[in-house]
Amino acid sequence: GAGVSQSPSNKVTEKGKDVELRCDPISGHTALYWYRQSLGQGLEFLIYFQGNSAPDKSGLPSDRFSAERTGGSVSTLTIQRTQQEDSAVYLCASSSRGAGNVSYEQYFGPGTRLTVT
Amino acid sequence: AQSVTQPDIHITVSEGASLELRCNYSYGATPYLFWYVQSPGQGLQLLLKYFSGDTLVQGIKGFEAEFKRSQSSFNLRKPSVHWSDAAEYFCAVGARFTGTASKLTFGTGTRLQVTL
């Protein structure tokens, strides 16, 4: 079946502009995660959605970052007033939910490479 | 807080040689453990996982890993490396019991180079 898809694959934007990154999870997966991969910081968790529960935003680096998930499926990560340090690959992952509020393995999309000039 | 250490930033092995990539974790209980591989310009692909049971787990592409609780380790092994295994390998830990999320904490990765 189809895996996790992300768009765009590459995005170049000017400092100060807003960007939106999109993630389509695997059909039927209830959990969705955003991570950021950058040279200086490695792979960092950003935000997590699980069903109708309030998202875990504990990894968002600043209030310029936000994300939403509509209809329990597609998610959009928005970065406002982009800065050069936001340049990174943004990875989305999804997983099915197991018993006891624990999610199983996460399947990753190919990522969006964001470059802020 | 959970953490993962991959002490080897870069490893070079000859094709056909055996491979062991080290991973040590810090977590208050028995965690969920994962190994992912990332080829250049690609996303992360799951190689294998440990949730419970047999501490030696088999994965795709001939990889295996052994969970050693006493050493807080989850090292990845392959008996004979192929040139196509050249990539970056990430060990990750996920919380076993959580009321919120099983977000993954990743190690810094080990870049594997394979010489012919």
Side-chain angles (χ1 to χ4, degrees):
Chain A
V4 178
S5 61
Q6 293 185 245
S7 61
S9 55
N10 280 285
K11 176 71 176 180
V12 180
T13 189
E14 292 179 353
K15 177 182 174 181
K17 300 284 190 183
D18 298 351
V19 295
E20 287 189 350
L21 313 179
R22 177 188 168 103
C23 172
D24 282 271
I26 292 172
S27 177
H29 278 190
T30 56
L32 187 147
Y33 307 77
W34 284 98
Y35 294 86
R36 179 170 72 173
Q37 185 174 27
S38 57
L39 282 176
Q41 301 298 322
L43 273 156
E44 306 171 276
F45 165 79
L46 295 177
I47 188 170
Y48 160 75
F49 295 90
Q50 173 62 67
N52 295 321
S53 302
D56 176 355
K57 304 178 182 180
S58 60
L60 294 179
S62 77
D63 58 8
R64 295 186 295 104
F65 288 72
S66 63
E68 62 177 19
R69 189 179 185 190
T70 54
S73 182
V74 172
S75 176
T76 302
L77 177 69
T78 301
I79 309 174
Q80 295 178 310
R81 305 180 303 282
T82 52
Q83 304 295 313
Q84 288 187 329
E85 61 262 29
D86 299 334
S87 296
V89 176
Y90 289 82
L91 295 166
C92 176
S94 70
S95 71
S96 58
R97 182 173 180 174
N101 208 39
V102 175
S103 299
Y104 290 91
E105 59 262 33
Q106 297 175 24
Y107 296 88
F108 284 79
T112 294
R113 180 174 297 277
L114 174 66
T115 303
V116 182
T117 61
Chain B
Q2 58 207 45
S3 66
V4 177
T5 301
Q6 293 181 248
D8 303 307
I9 297 173
H10 187 207
I11 284 183
T12 300
V13 300
S14 300
E15 188 174 39
S18 63
L19 172 70
E20 182 169 27
L21 301 183
R22 295 183 289 167
C23 172
N24 291 94
Y25 68 89
S26 174
Y27 183 64
T30 303
Y32 289 122
L33 294 162
F34 306 85
W35 274 99
Y36 284 87
V37 61
Q38 186 178 37
S39 298
Q42 303 296 313
L44 295 166
Q45 181 183 21
L46 179 68
L47 282 177
L48 47 77
K49 60 188 182 290
Y50 172 77
F51 289 162
S52 64
D54 193 346
T55 56
L56 183 63
V57 294
Q58 303 296 321
I60 63 171
K61 304 184 179 185
F63 286 92
E64 66 177 27
E66 186 171 11
F67 169 58
K68 293 186 177 180
R69 185 191 307 272
S70 62
Q71 299 176 20
S72 298
S73 69
F74 189 57
N75 294 348
L76 181 71
R77 302 193 293 250
K78 187 170 184 177
S80 178
V81 169
H82 188 264
W83 65 267
S84 61
D85 293 325
E88 188 143 23
Y89 292 79
F90 293 92
C91 182
V93 60
R96 176 171 284 273
F97 296 110
T98 175
T100 56
S102 295
K103 59 194 179 189
L104 296 180
T105 299
F106 287 88
T108 50
T110 297
R111 181 166 297 280
L112 174 65
Q113 183 176 358
V114 180
T115 58
L116 301 177

